[in-house]
Amino acid sequence: MKQTLTDFQNHYRLLIDQTLFKLVKTLKTPKLLKDAMIYSLTAGGKRTRPMLTLAVLTSLNQKINEEILKMVSAVELIHTYSLIHDDLPAMDNDDFRRGKLTNHKVYGEGMAILAGDALLTLAFQVLTQNTSNEKLGFELVKLLAKVAGAIGMVGGQVLDIQGEGQRLPIEQMQKMHHLKTGALLFYAVESGLLIMQFLDQKQGKVINEQIKKHFLIYAESFGLAFQIRDDILDITKTTEELGKTAGKDIAMEKSTYPLLLGLTGAKDALIQEITKASEAIASVEKTQPIFNSKLLQQFVQTLKVEAT
Ligand code: GRG
């Protein structure tokens, strides 16, 4: 595989953007709602979650077609809804996200809530209407419902709210992050394995329990590393650099890795998770020559922060 992660991201970013835009643009729904949904969907997200699924599929030699692009985009609809709701005055109360005004600042609170609701439900509609293999559609819906809901991201958000103003024990903070941020990233990897198992008879067979275990260790450590990085950047970058209010975690008295471990401790924890993910994915390559770990290795390395 000659392709670098940057080439890969440049190529698929455009395709994911187009897929998401089309999914909403073609809805027969009031223009105002559509505008509010499209506003946040096209506000410059990095598309980390669908990109991660595509990297899993590509690492296993799966060709990407239009149907797969729709399937992998569903999680981005959920992610976008979660950010719109997270920014609301009743939650984190943010005016800016990705350098732009938050959804409720442009469309008002009511419309922002509804745009989030509509994106959330659209994700499941997309999976059921665009997956020709019905059993695969069902399995993806089942997994996405689990990671996005009360026992996943929403549950994590509740633990986050309950933890405000307290210094949580590290295990509790980790559990909260594992659900709030980790669950969708975990889905991004696991859904890639599911797609392989259902769509590619030959390659899908490669994914035995041992291989799956390594991928899921990668997914879990990727999720934790992603959050530790986010916590570090919140205190080391400016609002302009972040595109959202810096220092928000301290202002809202949230438990973060730098608060509990110190900045150096948080950076060490980040390196530990990146190494764990990297080793897990390297083990797949050792046992499965058909698998090329390059993209997934590069992907997790993008979570490093500069040492100071
Ligand atoms: C409202 C149910 C509900 C859940 C919200 C995801 C989430 C839960 C809150 C977001 C708060 C936050 C900043 C979490 C840290 C990790 C995170 C999800 C960062 C944003 O994800 P990126 O960097 O965003 O992938 P882009 O802008 O690239 O799409």
Side-chain angles (χ1 to χ4, degrees):
M1 195 186 293
K2 288 199 200 80
Q3 197 179 31
T4 66
L5 181 67
T6 312
D7 296 336
F8 179 84
Q9 284 175 320
N10 287 340
H11 176 72
Y12 282 115
R13 200 197 149 82
L14 200 70
L15 293 174
I16 295 166
D17 287 354
Q18 285 169 352
T19 304
L20 287 165
F21 183 76
K22 261 196 260 166
L23 286 171
V24 177
K25 195 69 192 166
T26 49
L27 292 174
K28 288 193 174 61
T29 191
K31 184 176 178 305
L32 184 58
L33 177 64
K34 221 191 272 198
D35 287 349
M37 292 162 83
I38 289 176
Y39 176 77
S40 291
L41 262 188
T42 57
K46 296 181 291 298
R47 313 303 193 202
T48 303
R49 295 147 193 83
M51 209 68 88
L52 194 50
T53 314
L54 291 176
V56 168
L57 292 169
T58 305
S59 73
L60 287 157
N61 249 326
Q62 172 67 44
K63 290 249 173 318
I64 309 301
N65 58 26
E66 209 176 311
E67 182 181 348
I68 291 185
L69 279 169
K70 284 184 185 155
M71 276 185 234
V72 305
S73 295
V75 68
E76 189 71 8
L77 296 170
I78 303 257
H79 168 64
T80 308
Y81 121 73
S82 80
L83 298 181
I84 296 175
H85 283 195
D86 188 62
D87 290 334
L88 286 166
M91 296 220 191
D92 271 9
N93 192 17
D94 258 303
D95 293 351
F96 290 95
R97 159 100 39 203
R98 301 154 171 163
K100 295 194 171 126
L101 284 172
T102 43
N103 198 290
H104 65 274
K105 282 279 152 190
V106 179
Y107 293 95
E109 279 180 53
M111 199 49 60
I113 292 170
L114 293 169
D117 293 341
L119 288 166
L120 164 63
T121 37
L122 181 62
F124 296 103
Q125 194 184 335
V126 167
L127 287 177
T128 49
Q129 287 183 351
N130 297 285
T131 311
S132 53
N133 182 320
E134 278 188 20
K135 178 86 169 90
L136 171 60
F138 173 79
E139 290 298 331
L140 290 172
V141 165
K142 201 164 90 175
L143 186 60
L144 190 54
K146 183 176 142 192
V147 298
I151 56 170
M153 181 180 71
V154 173
Q157 180 77 348
V158 172
L159 296 179
D160 189 25
I161 291 174
Q162 287 178 330
E164 277 170 20
Q166 295 176 53
R167 206 183 168 103
L168 297 177
I170 187 131
E171 298 75 26
Q172 265 186 48
M173 182 189 66
Q174 235 170 29
K175 183 177 174 211
M176 181 259 291
H177 288 322
H178 173 68
L179 296 173
K180 190 184 89 164
T181 310
L184 291 193
L185 291 162
F186 195 83
Y187 170 88
V189 174
E190 193 172 358
S191 61
L193 300 182
L194 266 177
I195 294 172
M196 281 307 296
Q197 282 169 321
F198 279 90
L199 289 192
D200 194 322
Q201 295 294 320
K202 204 162 124 245
Q203 303 282 80
K205 284 209 184 73
V206 161
I207 307 160
N208 59 30
E209 280 311 304
Q210 193 59 21
I211 300 280
K212 188 171 172 188
K213 197 177 119 196
H214 290 309
F215 268 104
L216 298 186
I217 292 172
Y218 174 89
E220 198 155 330
S221 288
F222 191 106
L224 265 183
F226 191 90
Q227 182 62 51
I228 301 172
R229 178 176 199 271
D230 197 75
D231 283 0
I232 293 173
L233 298 185
D234 186 67
I235 56 164
T236 56
K237 297 276 180 199
T238 63
T239 297
E240 289 67 39
E241 285 168 322
L242 290 177
K244 59 178 182 175
T245 318
K248 200 69 210 255
D249 295 333
I250 297 176
M252 295 193 72
E253 297 181 53
K254 292 197 183 204
S255 294
T256 64
Y257 283 86
L259 181 82
L260 299 193
L261 304 176
L263 186 55
T264 310
K267 284 183 177 177
D268 289 346
L270 174 60
I271 294 295
Q272 255 178 43
E273 292 306 329
I274 291 174
T275 309
K276 198 167 158 195
S278 168
E279 285 173 0
I281 219 64
S283 332
V284 179
E285 192 155 86
K286 272 185 216 135
T287 48
Q288 271 311 330
I290 209 161
F291 169 71
N292 189 323
S293 68
K294 191 174 151 190
L295 283 176
L296 292 170
Q297 288 291 7
Q298 288 180 19
F299 215 143
V300 73
Q301 297 302 327
T302 61
L303 300 178
K304 275 186 176 156
V305 294
E306 64 272 20
T308 40

